[in-house]
Amino acid sequence: GLSDSAAVKRLVEAGPAAVDWLLALGTQFDRAGEGATGELLLGREAAHSRRRVLHAGGDATGAEIERALVAGVLENPVVDVFEEAFALDLIVRDGHCAGIVVELGPGLPPTALDAPVVVLAAGGAGQLWAMTSNPAGATADGLAMALRAGVAVADLEFAQFHPTVLALPGDRPFLVSEAVRGEGGYLRGASGARFMPDVHPLAELAPRDVVARAIQRQMAADHGEHVWLDLRHLDGPAMRRRFPTIARELATRGLDLATDLIPVAPAAHYFMGGVVASTAGETSLPGLLALGEAACTGVHGANRLASNSLLEGLVFGLDAADRLSRAGLWAAVQPPPSRPANKAAIPADHLPALADSLDYADLWFRLWRAMSRHVAVVRDAEDLAAARSEIAEVAELLPEPEDRGARELRDAVLAAAAITTAATRREESRGAHFRADFPDRNPALAGRHLVFGGAEGRWRFASLTDARGEAVTAV
């Protein structure tokens, strides 16, 4: 009941042309037969009624899209790339975003970059929880910068938990793609019995929030830390070919995708909330655009449908680029202080400031504990109050933000506090936000987004269009 119909319409109608653009850029999606000329192969994921998802390398779609995009950026002589830069804050002058304060590299002093337009594409917030599928940099820095600048944000209570993330004690969480269940994988409890057929007509392919809650209930019933994902009834060689990355990752841990039961549990995965933005990225602050997981366009509603996030970033990113090109704003961009040599590629798994935050490990653990215990798959008023109290205590202990580790922790605490407040204020269950003390939907809140900031500067239920206000008319 929260998907914005206009945003959904734009995503669906512009999707094919955007994919053609990616193909022209050199993105290699999986095709039937040998070579790159066969018919594009399509996959099916949770809550999908048909096969409609392109994939690359079996289960490495995001990495292949990133490879093609990064290659295109590095080939462009007018683009300056600052690897491992760290954004600190937006610059706001006379009600307009006028640039950004940033550390252009580790250990470098903060630098103010003036710009007629800033595009915020800082990703999500998964690292606010102890177990997540997200990379180390997903610490809600974009959301925190927007909150400090008074930009309208919305839907912060809606954090999607992926049902099947590898759950081995002491090991790094690893996403076991939903497409594995799309190909016929089963979920089993400690007794070996399937439990999803008794939960939902789509069984293992039910919507993610349904599967995540069912797994959590099964774990509680089993007094365990995980359930089992089972592919043993499927064609083993075919499964290893279909999911080569997952198979390799599991093999490094002594597990065989096709012959072993795989331990999995829910983990923070995708953040539906973010900076309120149009389908061309326009926000409540003129001069600031927001795209991808950092944005809240309303296209995902209360519970993102599998694989729509890559398409959102692609379609709306192209719309934003077209909008800026028509406005002629690129010509006004000033060159940065210095031009680093572009490298052959940007490492896909480089670690940001979180890796250097060992001095703040205790505070991180306290934040993770608060969010994972009290603001996870199932919430209630008592848990949320406990989370607010614990997060406030961490905030009191925050060091002065003199280095990246402290600044990143500051961002995470601010974002966690806002998320917890939003979860407290939405007294109903809808999509990925499930309140045990309010288990039903409130019909009065259908289509109503919980918004903070913007012109009114307070929490209120409103439409996303109202939250953006008149600022969308002027980039």
Side-chain angles (χ1 to χ4, degrees):
L2 281 185
S3 290
D4 181 84
S5 59
V8 172
K9 187 172 188 291
R10 179 60 187 164
L11 182 78
V12 172
E13 292 181 349
V19 170
D20 286 340
W21 180 86
L22 264 188
L23 291 170
L25 194 66
T27 310
Q28 300 295 317
F29 291 111
D30 293 343
R31 296 176 180 268
E34 299 294 329
T37 59
E39 182 180 0
L40 288 164
L41 295 174
L42 299 177
R44 180 185 177 194
E45 299 190 8
H48 293 187
S49 57
R50 68 196 321 179
R51 289 182 175 269
R52 67 170 187 87
V53 182
L54 294 172
H55 47 82
D59 52 5
T61 312
E64 170 57 17
I65 291 174
E66 180 180 348
R67 181 204 62 76
L69 291 173
V70 168
V73 166
L74 296 180
E75 290 170 2
N76 191 327
V78 304
V79 177
D80 291 276
V81 177
F82 292 84
E83 297 186 39
E84 299 187 43
F86 188 72
L88 303 178
D89 270 309
L90 302 172
I91 299 171
V92 180
R93 298 193 191 106
D94 301 323
H96 192 284
C97 186
I100 193 166
V101 179
V102 60
E103 291 179 4
L104 293 176
L108 295 180
T111 299
L113 297 180
D114 291 336
V117 178
V118 171
V119 180
L120 191 62
Q127 287 291 346
L128 303 189
W129 286 268
M131 188 169 178
T132 179
S133 65
N134 288 191
T139 48
D141 302 288
L143 173 61
M145 285 190 289
L147 286 167
R148 285 193 292 272
V151 184
V153 300
D155 292 351
L156 306 188
E157 64 271 36
F158 297 112
Q160 184 179 82
F161 286 76
H162 197 289
T164 54
V165 170
L166 184 68
L168 288 175
D171 201 351
R172 175 179 59 85
F174 171 71
L175 179 68
V176 181
S177 170
E178 196 162 64
V180 171
R181 284 176 284 127
E183 296 294 336
Y186 292 154
L187 290 170
R188 302 185 184 277
S191 69
R194 291 176 66 193
F195 54 88
M196 284 307 303
D198 295 330
V199 175
H200 194 277
L202 291 175
E204 280 82 2
L205 287 178
R208 285 181 175 174
D209 64 303
V210 175
V211 180
R213 289 196 300 274
I215 290 176
Q216 183 161 302
R217 285 194 297 269
Q218 189 64 43
M219 287 163 51
D222 293 341
H223 302 289
E225 299 296 325
H226 59 77
V227 297
W228 300 106
L229 179 62
D230 186 6
L231 281 72
R232 297 175 300 176
H233 57 290
L234 302 174
D235 183 329
M239 289 300 99
R240 296 187 192 98
R241 288 193 300 272
R242 173 68 176 85
F243 304 108
T245 304
I246 295 173
R248 285 194 299 270
E249 285 282 346
L250 292 175
T252 64
R253 296 159 171 83
L255 295 171
D256 188 304
L257 174 70
T259 61
D260 289 323
L261 290 170
I262 310 302
V264 294
H269 183 57
Y270 190 86
F271 192 56
M272 277 75 73
V275 179
V276 178
S278 72
T279 58
E282 298 145 319
T283 73
S284 67
L285 179 63
L288 177 70
L289 305 187
L291 295 169
E293 198 171 350
C296 178
T297 62
V299 75
H300 301 303
N303 196 26
R304 178 185 70 101
L305 188 65
S307 286
N308 280 355
S309 52
L310 286 173
L311 191 63
E312 179 199 23
L314 176 63
V315 171
F316 299 165
L318 287 169
D319 283 353
D322 289 342
R323 171 77 173 86
L324 294 177
S325 294
R326 288 194 302 271
L329 289 168
W330 295 128
V333 176
Q334 297 299 311
S338 61
R339 185 183 184 84
N342 283 338
K343 298 180 181 179
I346 296 176
D349 59 351
H350 74 280
L351 294 177
L354 184 60
D356 300 322
S357 298
L358 296 180
D359 290 343
Y360 313 113
D362 180 62
L363 294 178
W364 271 108
F365 283 129
R366 292 182 65 173
L367 179 64
W368 287 334
R369 182 176 60 197
M371 296 297 287
S372 299
R373 286 183 177 179
H374 306 307
V375 200
V377 178
V378 177
R379 299 118 179 232
D380 61 31
E382 183 178 352
D383 275 339
L384 291 168
R388 291 197 307 275
S389 177
E390 292 178 25
I391 293 168
E393 290 178 6
V394 174
E396 287 291 324
L397 297 172
L398 282 177
E400 288 297 319
E402 295 178 352
D403 58 34
R404 286 194 181 198
R407 291 187 174 104
E408 191 168 53
L409 180 57
R410 173 194 63 166
D411 287 350
V413 169
L414 176 60
I419 291 167
T420 304
T421 299
T424 303
R425 286 176 171 266
R426 184 174 286 275
E427 295 182 331
E428 65 161 355
S429 291
R430 185 180 296 272
H433 173 66
F434 188 85
R435 289 281 299 263
D437 48 350
F438 294 96
D440 301 316
R441 292 187 194 178
N442 180 352
L445 294 180
R448 308 299 289 172
H449 300 264
L450 183 55
V451 177
F452 180 76
E456 295 192 37
R458 60 181 179 84
W459 291 99
R460 73 271 188 198
F461 284 96
S463 73
L464 294 182
T465 302
D466 290 341
R468 289 199 309 272
E470 297 301 318
V472 298
T473 64
V475 173

